[in-house]
C-alpha cells in the first residue's frame, strides 16, 4: 500500500514510478478523492467542536434558568449532520484505500526499465553449465524411466498439472527440504516455522495478492485461501503488531506446499513439473529496520545462492525489470538454474528463486510496525521474501544435471547424508 502523504507531497514522483511500471498516472484521481475525504473530515471536526460548545452552553443556560431550546435544536441538527458526515468519511476513506490497494509498489531507482523479462539485467553467472557426451534427458523422461514420477495418476486424482512422486523421488524431495532447512536455520539464523496452509482475506491482502490477483489463488468453500507461498503466513506473523527495534531483524523459514491456479500462465510449461498447481518450497522471510532492507536483500540472495553452490548447480542472478517484478516488490533478484535437459536437450536457465525487498509496502497494508528505541511513535517495518529454494525445480535441476550415461542419477554429496544412498537407479 502506498502512503497517501507521500503522494500529496510529490505526486509527480509517484506518477513517474507508476510510469516505469507501464501504468498511467493515478495521482490526480487519488488526490481528488483524498481532497473530498479531507474536506468531509474537516467539516466533521468543526461540527464536533460546535456540538461540544453548544452542549456546554446548554448546561450554562439551564443553570441560569434561561431558555435553551434553540441550542438543543442546534445540537440535534448537528448530531444528524455528523452521522451523515461520518458515513461519508468512511466511504471516502474506503474509496481512497481501494484505489491505492490496486497499485503496485514503486520500483527502486536502480531497477532496469522494460516491459517484461527481456529487459532483465544479468548480475552474475556462477558455475559452468554441464554438457554430456550422451543425449541429455529431461526430468520427465528420467522420472518415467525410474517409474517414480506419475503424471497420469496425478491427473486421475486431481486433474492436470499435478504429479505423484514415489519411492526415491519422494525421498529425494524430503532430503532436499531437510538440507535447505538445516542450512538456513543452522547457519543463517532463520527460525523454522510450520504455518497454516490456509489463511484469511487479511493475510493475502497484506502481502499483496488481494484484491488484484484473486484468480491466481485457490479459495475454500468457507472463504479461506490456500497459500500460494509461505511468504503469506510468515510475513503476516507481524501483522497488526508493534515489535521493539531490538527484536529486528526477524528471519523466518518454512517448508510448505504452495497452491496456485496459474490463471495468468495458460499454456506455459505444461510438460513436467516446471509449473504445477501444487508444489513445495522452502521460503525465506525477513522483517527488518528500514535502514537495513537493501543490505538484507543481498544477504537473503546469498543464502539462496549458497544452496545452489553446495549442490554444485550452475546458475545466474538476474535483476528483474520494472515489467517483470512482482506486485509488491521494489527490487527483485531472480536465481535461474541451468537445466541441461530442457529445450530438447539443449539446456536453458529457469527461475528457481526470486528474492525481493518490498520496503514498507506490505507492512503498511498489514499494519506491521516497530518502535524505535526511546521513542513513543512507531514506524513501518520493511519486509523481504525469497525462495530458498523451490523444491520441485531443485529436484529437476539435480535429476537433469546429475544424470549418467546408464540412466542413473547421482546424488549430490551434500544430500547423501539425508538421502542415504549415492544413486537413483532406473527401473529394470
Amino acid at each position: 500500500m502506498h502512503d497517501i502523504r507521500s503522494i500529496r507531497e510529490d505526486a509527480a514522483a509517484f506518477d513517474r514510478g507508476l510510469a516505469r511500471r507501464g501504468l498511467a498516472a493515478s495521482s490526480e484521481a487519488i488526490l481528488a478523492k483524498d481532497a473530498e475525504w479531507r474536506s468531509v473530515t474537516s467539516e466533521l471536526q468543526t461540527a464536533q467542536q460546535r456540538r461540544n460548545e453548544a452542549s456546554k452552553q446548554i448546561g450554562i443556560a439551564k443553570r441560569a434558568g434561561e431558555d435553551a431550546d434553540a441550542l438543543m435544536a442546534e445540537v440535534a441538527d448537528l448530531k444528524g449532520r455528523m452521522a451523515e458526515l461520518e458515513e461519508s468519511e468512511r466511504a471516502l476513506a474506503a474509496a481512497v484505500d481501494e484505489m491505492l490497494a490496486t497499485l503496485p509498489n514503486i520500483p527502486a531507482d536502480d531497477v532496469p526499465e522494460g516491459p517484461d523479462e527481456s529487459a532483465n539485467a544479468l548480475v552474475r553467472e556462477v558455475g559452468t553449465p554441464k554438457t554430456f557426451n550422451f543425449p541429455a534427458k529431461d526430468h520427465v523422461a528420467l522420472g518415467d524411466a525410474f517409474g517414480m514420477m506419475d503424471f497420469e495418476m496425478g491427473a486421475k486424482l486431481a486433474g492436470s498439472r499435478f504429479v505423484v512422486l514415489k519411492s526415491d523421488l519422494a525421498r529425494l524431495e524430503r532430503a532436499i527440504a531437510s538440507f535447505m532447512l538445516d542450512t538456513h536455520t543452522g547457519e543463517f539464523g532463520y527460525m523454522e516455522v510450520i504455518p497454516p496452509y490456509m489463511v484469511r482475506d487479511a493475510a493475502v491482502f497484506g502481502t499483496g495478492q488481494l484484491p488484484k490477483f484473486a484468480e491466481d489463488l485457490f479459495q475454500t468453500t468457507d472463504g479461506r485461501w490456500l497459500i500460494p507461498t509461505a511468504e503469506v503466513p510468515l510475513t503476516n506473523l507481524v501483522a497488526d503488531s508493534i515489535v521493539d527495534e531490538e527484536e529486528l531483524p526477524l528471519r523466518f523459514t518454512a517448508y510448505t506446499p504452495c497452491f496456485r491456479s496459474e490463471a495468468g500462465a495458460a499454456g506455459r510449461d505444461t510438460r513436467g513439473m516446471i509449473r504445477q498447481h501444487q508444489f513445495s518450497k522452502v521460503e525465506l522471510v525477513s522483517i527488518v529496520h528500514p535502514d537495513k532492507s537493501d543490505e538484507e536483500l543481498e544477504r537473503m540472495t546469498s543464502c539462496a545462492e549458497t544452496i545452489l553452490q553446495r549442490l554444485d548447480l550452475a546458475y545466474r542472478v538476474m535483476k528483474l525489470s520494472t515489467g517483470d517484478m512482482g506486485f509488491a516488490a521494489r527490487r527483485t533478484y531472480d536465481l535461474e538454474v541451468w537445466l541441461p535437459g530442457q529445450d530438447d536437450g539443449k539446456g536453458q536457465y529457469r527461475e528457481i528463486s526470486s528474492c525481493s525487498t518490498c520496503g514498507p509496502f506490505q507492512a503498511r497494508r498489514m499494519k506491521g510496525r516497530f518502535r524505535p528505541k526511546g521513542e513513543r511513535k512507531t514506524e513501518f517495518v520493511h519486509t523481504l521474501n525469497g525462495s530458498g529454494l523451490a523444491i520441485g525445480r531443485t529436484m529437476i535441476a539435480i535429476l537433469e544435471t546429475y544424470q549418467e550415461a546408464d540412466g542413473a542419477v547421482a546424488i549430490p554429496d551434500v544430500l547423501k547424508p539425508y538421502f542415504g544412498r549415492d544413486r537413483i537407479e532406473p527401473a529394470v
Side-chain angles (χ1 to χ4, degrees):
M1 185 79 81
H2 296 284
D3 182 2
I4 187 64
R5 290 172 299 181
S6 68
I7 301 175
R8 292 173 193 154
E9 292 168 1
D10 196 344
F14 178 74
D15 285 340
R16 284 196 299 272
L18 291 182
R20 296 187 68 215
R21 284 274 200 170
L23 298 175
S26 295
S27 66
E28 184 176 353
I30 293 169
L31 291 176
K33 189 65 67 174
D34 176 58
E36 287 185 59
W37 172 79
R38 286 193 290 166
S39 175
V40 169
T41 300
S42 177
E43 185 179 349
L44 177 59
Q45 290 171 345
T46 299
Q48 287 172 330
Q49 290 171 355
R50 177 54 194 155
R51 184 193 61 179
N52 293 340
E53 291 170 359
S55 296
K56 291 179 182 178
Q57 290 170 355
I58 289 171
I60 294 171
K62 285 185 175 181
R63 284 194 296 272
E66 298 173 353
D67 183 7
D69 289 350
L71 287 169
M72 293 173 67
E74 182 184 3
V75 168
D77 289 343
L78 285 169
K79 184 177 180 180
R81 178 56 180 158
M82 286 172 59
E84 295 174 359
L85 290 170
E86 286 169 351
E87 179 61 29
S88 180
E89 183 186 43
R90 283 191 294 269
L92 288 167
V96 172
D97 285 346
E98 185 177 350
M99 295 171 79
L100 294 175
T102 60
L103 296 173
N105 204 349
I106 299 299
D109 291 341
D110 64 331
V111 172
E113 189 169 343
D116 51 37
E117 62 187 16
S118 64
N120 295 347
L122 176 65
V123 178
R124 56 183 169 272
E125 293 180 320
V126 180
T128 302
K130 190 169 182 178
T131 58
F132 302 90
N133 56 10
F134 58 88
K137 297 178 180 178
D138 71 2
H139 67 284
V140 179
L142 291 165
D144 185 59
F146 295 144
M148 302 173 189
M149 187 181 291
D150 197 332
F151 293 99
E152 184 176 341
M153 181 58 70
K156 179 180 178 181
L157 293 173
S160 62
R161 295 199 178 186
F162 290 90
V163 66
V164 174
L165 297 179
K166 305 174 183 176
S167 188
D168 282 351
L169 292 190
R171 184 183 184 90
L172 180 58
E173 173 166 317
R174 178 157 50 91
I176 293 168
S178 295
F179 161 63
M180 290 180 184
L181 287 172
D182 284 352
T183 303
H184 293 311
T185 59
E187 297 185 36
F188 302 139
Y190 288 88
M191 176 192 295
E192 185 174 355
V193 176
I194 299 178
Y197 302 158
M198 294 184 291
V199 295
R200 295 176 173 175
D201 289 357
V204 276
F205 176 83
T207 47
Q209 285 80 15
L210 288 183
K212 194 168 185 179
F213 302 102
E215 67 173 6
D216 294 327
L217 309 176
F218 287 110
Q219 190 173 25
T220 65
T221 55
D222 65 355
R224 293 180 176 89
W225 301 87
L226 300 181
I227 61 170
T229 163
E231 170 201 346
V232 176
L234 293 182
T235 307
N236 275 277
L237 290 176
V238 297
D240 296 307
S241 65
I242 301 172
V243 300
D244 289 333
E245 184 176 11
E246 292 84 350
E247 297 179 60
L248 301 176
L250 297 171
R251 298 186 177 109
F252 305 117
T253 185
Y255 164 48
T256 70
C258 306
F259 307 92
R260 298 183 186 176
S261 71
E262 298 293 354
R268 293 180 56 196
D269 300 321
T270 56
R271 176 176 167 80
M273 289 176 56
I274 292 289
R275 195 179 296 275
Q276 297 273 287
H277 290 310
Q278 175 187 315
F279 59 97
S280 298
K281 186 152 65 85
V282 170
E283 185 73 2
L284 306 175
V285 163
S286 296
I287 313 295
V288 303
H289 189 284
D291 294 343
K292 298 293 185 180
S293 58
D294 288 345
E295 175 185 324
E296 186 71 12
L297 178 60
E298 302 300 325
R299 182 188 190 277
M300 177 180 284
T301 305
S302 176
C303 292
E305 286 187 73
T306 297
I307 301 297
L308 289 168
Q309 292 165 9
R310 293 185 183 176
L311 290 170
D312 198 18
L313 296 171
Y315 68 93
R316 66 186 185 187
V317 181
M318 307 292 291
K319 182 182 286 187
L320 297 195
S321 71
T322 54
D324 199 29
M325 284 197 312
F327 178 83
R330 69 184 304 269
R331 183 187 296 109
T332 297
Y333 293 124
D334 262 14
L335 306 186
E336 298 180 346
V337 68
W338 177 254
L339 302 180
Q342 301 297 300
D343 194 18
D344 295 326
K346 299 175 184 176
Q348 64 181 129
Y349 285 102
R350 297 303 301 262
E351 176 201 340
I352 197 169
S353 171
S354 285
C355 296
S356 300
T357 177
C358 302
F361 185 83
Q362 291 178 324
R364 188 172 285 110
R365 294 170 77 95
M366 64 185 183
K367 299 178 177 62
R369 295 162 290 167
F370 76 99
R371 192 184 309 280
K373 187 176 180 179
E375 296 188 19
R376 296 184 62 184
K377 70 172 186 176
T378 61
E379 298 180 31
F380 289 109
V381 296
H382 281 201
T383 63
L384 301 94
N385 63 81
S387 307
L389 308 162
I391 304 294
R393 294 194 180 189
T394 303
M395 180 185 294
I396 292 170
I398 290 170
L399 294 177
E400 296 187 5
T401 299
Y402 284 85
Q403 61 182 296
E404 298 181 337
D406 63 358
V409 170
I411 299 299
D413 289 342
V414 292
L415 293 183
K416 289 177 182 176
Y418 297 93
F419 189 75
R421 292 196 304 281
D422 293 346
R423 285 161 46 106
I424 300 175
E425 304 285 351
V428 178

